[in-house]
Amino acid sequence: DAGVIQSPRHEVTEMGQEVTLRCKPISGHNSLFWYRQTMMRGLELLIYFNNNVPIDDSGMPEDRFSAKMPNASFSTLKIQPSEPRDSAVYFCACAQGGTKNIQYFGAGTRLSVL
Amino acid sequence: AQKITQTQPGMFVQEKEAVTLDCTYDTSDPSYGLFWYKQPSSGEMIFLIYQGSYDQQNATEGRYSLNFQKARKSANLVISASQLGDSAMYFCAMREDYTSGTYKYIFGTGTRLKVLA
């Protein structure tokens, strides 16, 4: 299995532009998570889906952020409009359920908003 | 109150020696899981080891072991025979399980480990 695949790996954009981050989870993993990591705030959970349904989006900072999971193999996190304070590494993770329910992370997308 | 506390922002260890990274947690739920992740300078988050709240024995995975003391609510990571490649940030995390069937993962602030040659 290729693991969790995130694209792009790096994104540089200007303030006000729309940014779309993509994630392909491990096949068969029914939970998907979006995290944001910054030096100041550490690793923050933004949203998580179970069986493609959003379960907890309390971590989504504001209406500029939205996430979708149209099917079991694809999710997007969109920021519109982007702001410099959105600069961070965004991770997608997935979990299979079961007793251990271990999260496996993608390599992350490093976003820079100028 | 912090749910996951890692009190050591940074640690040094000599190559080939063992090192313990501390983690304490706070939950009132009987069912939970504890995890350690490694984040090298390249940035990816690598799963290392898991301990379930009902597990009687401490988890081990190769050179990694988890010193689980339930009464003290601690889940320290022990790395034996440190290698230069162990230099990284290490995160402790907890999964809280809710009766609704949902759950939440909470991460600590991390400990940066530097292995010295």
Side-chain angles (χ1 to χ4, degrees):
Chain A
D1 201 317
V4 181
I5 300 174
Q6 289 187 249
S7 63
R9 289 296 312 278
H10 303 274
E11 177 81 29
V12 180
T13 191
E14 292 188 346
M15 183 174 63
Q17 295 298 306
E18 178 180 294
V19 175
T20 300
L21 310 182
R22 297 172 176 81
C23 176
K24 176 178 167 56
I26 297 171
S27 176
H29 286 215
N30 58 3
S31 295
L32 184 139
F33 308 80
W34 282 101
Y35 288 90
R36 177 172 68 177
Q37 186 179 37
T38 61
M39 288 292 292
M40 291 295 294
R41 301 174 69 95
L43 196 64
E44 303 173 275
L45 175 66
L46 299 177
I47 186 170
Y48 102 78
F49 295 85
N50 194 46
N51 293 323
N52 312 336
V53 176
I55 301 299
D56 182 356
D57 65 355
S58 59
M60 295 287 264
E62 47 197 274
D63 292 346
R64 297 185 298 106
F65 285 69
S66 62
K68 292 183 179 179
M69 191 163 187
N71 57 62
S73 58
F74 184 65
S75 178
T76 59
L77 178 68
K78 186 176 292 187
I79 309 172
Q80 165 65 14
S82 57
E83 296 182 3
R85 61 191 167 121
D86 301 331
S87 297
V89 179
Y90 291 82
F91 286 103
C92 174
C94 64
Q96 194 171 19
T99 306
K100 293 186 177 181
N101 217 5
I102 297 166
Q103 281 191 316
Y104 294 95
F105 283 75
T109 294
R110 183 173 295 276
L111 174 64
S112 297
V113 183
L114 307 177
Chain B
Q2 292 291 324
K3 290 254 185 175
I4 293 284
T5 303
Q6 294 182 253
T7 57
Q8 307 151 313
M11 290 276 289
F12 289 95
V13 65
Q14 206 67 38
E15 193 179 10
K16 299 180 185 177
E17 291 187 352
V19 62
T20 297
L21 306 184
D22 295 342
C23 174
T24 57
Y25 60 93
D26 183 26
T27 183
S28 55
D29 296 321
S31 175
Y32 54 91
L34 297 160
F35 307 80
W36 278 91
Y37 287 85
K38 173 184 178 181
Q39 187 175 39
S41 57
S42 51
E44 68 269 35
M45 292 282 283
I46 303 167
F47 165 72
L48 295 178
I49 195 165
Y50 166 84
Q51 180 85 42
S53 58
Y54 296 117
D55 293 344
Q56 295 296 314
Q57 297 202 340
N58 288 342
T60 59
E61 289 284 351
R63 294 186 299 110
Y64 304 109
S65 60
L66 199 152
N67 185 359
F68 180 45
Q69 298 190 41
K70 196 170 183 176
R72 293 187 175 186
K73 293 187 176 179
S74 75
N76 298 340
L77 177 70
V78 180
I79 306 175
S80 62
S82 298
Q83 302 172 356
L84 296 177
D86 294 334
S87 294
M89 184 75 96
Y90 289 81
F91 291 95
C92 178
M94 175 175 65
R95 187 198 70 239
E96 288 188 306
D97 300 326
Y98 303 133
T99 54
S100 60
T102 61
Y103 43 85
K104 191 165 190 172
Y105 294 85
I106 303 152
F107 283 78
T109 52
T111 295
R112 185 170 297 281
L113 176 68
K114 175 71 173 175
V115 180
L116 305 173

